[in-house]
């Protein structure tokens, strides 16, 4: 089935109408909020596939010539997606100015386990809420894609936005300890060992979340104004200047600033 929601196209089975209705209910709020907070606008088409199959999603969204190639390497792809994608509730990618989102249906979230999620997020018992959070994160991601945001800032923007949509804090206060343990370490997908991957990704999510939260609480509107003029690593430099931190020790001092600013939450 195909359902259209204010410029959003949703591909789904009839049994997933509940998921579609949730998306229909929150989409306008997401569009409004990302514009209000960050100045992001919907500049390209968004197509959402609600499906349990990562392989089908990849196949359906590829151009024809790549579908033919995919059929030749299918066994390799199947093994890869079977190993990694079950840990994710949703994925996004962009092709030909179209943002594609795969959102897994509510029924599968009881079986999704993520080492990153356990380190970063509070435990959520309702699968419906987890679905809502996952689809929100994916949609916000499509709005921020043109700004070439570093991973940690992008994830921080996404999480802070979704917390406002959901109406409660999603990140564990205990995640602040990651700023102590992994201080100053940035993500590098080339050098990270497989066993360290979850920890390093979680550290970057946490660093981004507390940074964006700190900036919004202390300098509301600063990031929105910054996004109007800067992209990529230029945004990082503007954050450093705003916080008055030394260039050489910025990463370490940022972790220290965030930890000291929020460590009182660890007592609650």
């Amino acid at each position: 089935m195909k359902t259209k929601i204010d410029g959003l196209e949703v591909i789904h089975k009839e049994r997933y109408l509940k998921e579609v209705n949730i998306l229909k209910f929150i989409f306008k709020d997401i569009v409004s909020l990302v514009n209000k907070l960050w100045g992001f606008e919907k500049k390209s088409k968004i197509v959402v596939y609600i499906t349990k199959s990562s392989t089908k999603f990849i196949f359906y969204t590829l151009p024809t010539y790549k579908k033919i190639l995919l059929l030749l390497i299918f066994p390799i792809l199947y093994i890869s997606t079977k190993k990694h994608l079950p840990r994710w509730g949703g994925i996004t990618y962009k092709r030909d100015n179209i943002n594609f989102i795969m959102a897994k249906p509510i029924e599968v979230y009881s079986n999704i386990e993520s080492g990153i999620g356990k380190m970063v997020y509070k435990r959520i018992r309702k699968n419906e809420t987890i679905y809502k959070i996952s689809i929100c994160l994916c949609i916000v991601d499509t709005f921020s894609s043109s700004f070439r945001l570093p991973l940690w800032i992008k994830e921080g923007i996404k999480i802070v936005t979704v917390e406002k949509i959901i109406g409660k804090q999603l990140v564990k206060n205990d995640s602040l300890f990651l700023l102590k343990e992994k201080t100053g370490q940035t993500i590098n997908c080339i050098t990270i060992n497989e066993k360290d991957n979850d920890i390093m990704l979680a550290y970057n999510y946490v660093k981004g979340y507390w940074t964006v939260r700190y900036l919004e609480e202390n300098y509301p509107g600063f990031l929105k104004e910054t996004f109007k003029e800067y992209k990529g690593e230029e945004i990082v430099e503007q954050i450093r200047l705003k916080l008055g931190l030394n260039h050489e020790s910025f990463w370490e001092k940022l972790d220290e600033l965030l930890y000291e600013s929020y460590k009182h939450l660890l007592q609650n």
Side-chain angles (χ1 to χ4, degrees):
M1 293 182 64
K2 182 184 294 186
T3 302
K4 292 190 176 182
I5 306 170
D6 299 313
L8 183 74
E9 190 173 289
V10 188
I11 312 297
H12 60 96
K13 293 181 179 179
E14 188 172 1
R15 63 187 288 193
Y16 298 142
L17 285 176
K18 182 177 182 179
E19 285 83 351
V20 175
N21 287 332
I22 290 173
L23 183 52
K24 187 181 298 184
F25 181 76
I26 62 175
F27 184 64
K28 282 187 177 180
D29 289 339
I30 298 172
V31 173
S32 175
L33 189 59
V34 294
N35 182 259
K36 178 182 177 181
L37 289 176
W38 325 116
F40 296 165
E41 296 180 350
K42 181 177 176 290
K43 295 183 178 181
S44 55
K45 183 179 179 180
I46 301 174
V47 180
V48 179
Y49 285 80
I50 300 177
T51 176
K52 292 188 286 187
S53 173
S54 307
T55 307
K56 285 182 180 179
F57 167 73
I58 294 171
F59 185 79
Y60 290 150
T61 56
L62 287 176
T64 303
Y65 77 95
K66 287 189 176 181
K67 286 181 181 179
I68 296 172
L69 178 63
L70 179 62
L71 291 173
L72 298 176
I73 63 171
F74 179 80
I76 298 173
L77 176 71
Y78 179 76
I79 293 171
S80 176
T81 56
K82 187 175 182 180
K83 179 179 179 182
H84 296 289
L85 294 186
R87 306 190 310 166
W88 305 338
I91 55 176
T92 66
Y93 85 92
K94 190 173 183 178
R95 176 178 64 81
D96 299 334
N97 206 35
I98 301 175
N99 286 291
F100 294 101
I101 296 175
M102 173 190 165
K104 292 187 177 179
I106 293 170
E107 64 192 45
V108 307
Y109 285 93
S110 297
N111 301 318
I112 294 178
E113 291 188 5
S114 168
I116 299 169
K118 289 180 180 178
M119 286 183 274
V120 176
Y121 298 111
K122 296 180 179 180
R123 185 178 181 185
I124 300 172
R125 298 183 183 278
K126 292 183 64 176
N127 286 355
E128 186 174 318
T129 303
I130 301 174
Y131 162 79
K132 186 176 180 181
I133 292 169
S134 179
I135 193 68
C136 284
L137 288 170
C138 287
I139 292 172
V140 176
D141 187 58
T142 67
F143 279 75
S144 64
S145 60
S146 62
F147 290 84
R148 303 195 306 273
L149 299 177
L151 172 73
W152 62 285
I153 297 177
K154 181 174 72 171
E155 294 304 324
I157 290 290
K158 288 162 57 178
I159 299 169
V160 168
T161 304
V162 175
E163 282 192 344
K164 292 183 181 297
I165 291 288
I166 300 297
K168 61 181 178 181
Q169 183 176 328
L170 301 174
V171 174
K172 298 192 296 186
N173 292 334
D174 286 355
S175 68
L176 287 163
F177 288 123
L178 275 172
L179 300 179
K180 280 282 191 179
E181 296 167 4
K182 295 290 179 182
T183 182
Q185 299 185 40
T186 56
I187 192 70
N188 186 332
C189 294
I190 297 174
T191 60
I192 287 178
N193 294 322
E194 182 69 25
K195 64 179 181 179
D196 295 327
N197 202 33
D198 281 358
I199 296 174
M200 291 305 297
L201 282 171
Y203 164 73
N204 278 262
Y205 286 17
V206 168
K207 187 186 188 93
Y209 168 76
W210 292 107
T211 299
V212 173
R213 176 170 164 174
Y214 179 85
L215 289 170
E216 281 302 292
E217 290 177 354
N218 292 276
Y219 310 103
F222 161 72
L223 284 174
K224 182 178 181 179
E225 292 302 311
T226 301
F227 294 146
K228 290 179 180 179
E229 300 185 44
Y230 302 95
K231 295 182 184 295
E233 290 298 326
E234 295 174 337
I235 295 169
V236 178
E237 178 63 8
Q238 293 305 307
I239 292 174
R240 183 189 71 79
L241 292 171
K242 187 66 175 179
L243 298 178
L245 299 177
N246 181 273
H247 180 77
E248 286 73 20
S249 59
F250 170 61
W251 288 107
E252 292 81 3
K253 292 298 182 183
L254 177 57
D255 286 344
E256 183 179 321
L257 170 65
L258 297 172
Y259 184 83
E260 291 299 319
S261 298
Y262 291 107
K263 65 182 181 182
H264 64 278
L265 298 176
L266 297 170
Q267 302 170 3
N268 299 329

